[in-house]
């Protein structure tokens, strides 16, 4: 079973940038479609971005498109989320997870379509 650990969160001013990392265990990391989600206090967990096994295909939530970039390094078993032009509404705990299905389907945004969740990393954007 894959285990993931997120890192890279912190406090940043609006307009700033952060890069989150998600380090995964196991030798089959490159076989998995990976995704990032976030959850703000009092809100449901929401989809942010996802990336195909090779990294050649990506898909973003409309709220982050053009500001966030998901990438992966299969040699390092790591998925990244580069977040630029951060806004206070981006404040949340950010999680990475593995898609239950290994085939690339563009639109898979439901948390119940993913497993192997990490503990999350807090991102706070001040205004």
């Amino acid at each position: 079973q894959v285990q993931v650990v997120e890192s890279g969160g912190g406090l940043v001013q609006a307009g700033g940038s952060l890069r989150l990392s998600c380090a995964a265990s196991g030798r089959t990391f490159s076989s998995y479609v990976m995704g990032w989600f976030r959850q703000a206090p009092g809100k449901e967990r929401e989809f942010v971005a996802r990336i195909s096994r090779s990294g050649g295909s990506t898909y973003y939530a409309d709220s982050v498109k053009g500001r966030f970039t998901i990438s992966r390094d299969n040699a390092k078993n790591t998925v990244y989320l580069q977040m630029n032009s951060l806004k206070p509404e981006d404040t949340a705990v950010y999680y990475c997870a593995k898609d239950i299905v290994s085939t690339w389907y563009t639109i898979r945004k439901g948390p119940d379509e993913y497993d192997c969740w990490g503990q999350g990393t807090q991102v706070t954007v001040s205004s």
Side-chain angles (χ1 to χ4, degrees):
Q1 187 72 313
V2 175
Q3 292 184 318
V4 299
V5 178
E6 303 94 336
S7 62
L11 173 63
V12 64
Q13 289 187 331
S17 298
L18 282 174
R19 188 175 84 152
L20 306 183
S21 298
C22 169
S25 64
R27 299 181 179 180
T28 57
F29 175 75
S30 60
S31 300
Y32 306 132
V33 175
M34 299 295 294
W36 283 98
F37 287 75
R38 66 187 181 186
Q39 188 166 18
K43 295 189 176 181
E44 294 186 351
R45 191 166 298 189
E46 67 170 354
F47 170 80
V48 174
R50 63 191 251 107
I51 188 165
S52 64
R53 292 173 293 176
S54 68
S57 297
T58 57
Y59 179 75
Y60 298 91
D62 288 342
S63 58
V64 306
K65 198 175 298 182
R67 299 188 299 122
F68 290 11
T69 302
I70 188 171
S71 62
R72 67 190 297 163
D73 184 338
N74 286 338
K76 295 183 178 180
N77 280 16
T78 302
V79 179
Y80 304 99
L81 186 68
Q82 177 67 44
M83 306 186 296
N84 298 329
S85 302
L86 282 161
K87 305 175 181 180
E89 51 263 44
D90 294 318
T91 295
V93 177
Y94 283 70
Y95 301 89
C96 73
K98 175 185 74 66
D99 193 331
I100 294 171
V101 175
S102 59
T103 304
W104 173 255
Y105 297 105
T106 302
I107 303 177
R108 284 177 59 84
K109 301 189 293 184
D112 58 349
E113 296 173 307
Y114 294 76
D115 62 6
C116 303
W117 296 87
Q119 84 291 344
T121 186
Q122 176 71 48
V123 171
T124 302
V125 184
S126 64
S127 57

